[in-house]
Amino acid sequence: MKKIIDLLKKNIFNKEMMTYLLMGILGTIVNWITHAILVGPMTSLISNQDLALTITTFITVCVTVLFAFFTNKIFVFESKSWAPKVFWKEFVSFILARALTGVLEIFGVPLLVKLGLNQELFGIKAMVAKVSVTIIVIILNYVFSKLIVFKKKEK
């Protein structure tokens, strides 16, 4: 835990962290645009609207995670190697890390609500729990990417 806190303190306003936040904003835009492009056609093709929305969301998340992987590799952590062994190690570990934080988000919000963090924010029920989990997920995604996925080898 101390290593994570020291890492965040040291990196909070450096180029890497600012680039990470910018790419996160761009990733959110990619997510919203992908959803906007797919939701209409998908709901026209599939009569079950819940299923159509689930498929749209799944595709949107896949596109967003791919965008995040490549922008993190190239711009944030500047991982230079495209050798298949390095690429696949980074790719698989990135996907696994995002799956882990995705599970945390899926179950974390309801858990915090059950524990009493059910307050409204901007008139939206349980938004305090959602924002709290989102902050934790963003921090964990950065830490996993920095310390595991795109870890620079010691010279």
Side-chain angles (χ1 to χ4, degrees), residues 96-110 133 137:
L96 290 173
R98 292 298 168 111
L100 178 66
T101 58
V103 168
L104 174 66
E105 188 160 4
I106 290 167
F107 294 105
V109 174
V133 170
V137 165

Side-chain angles (χ1 to χ4, degrees), residues 45-56:
L45 288 171
I46 301 171
S47 60
N48 181 328
Q49 297 302 290
D50 289 340
L51 178 61
L53 191 55
T54 300
I55 293 170
T56 299

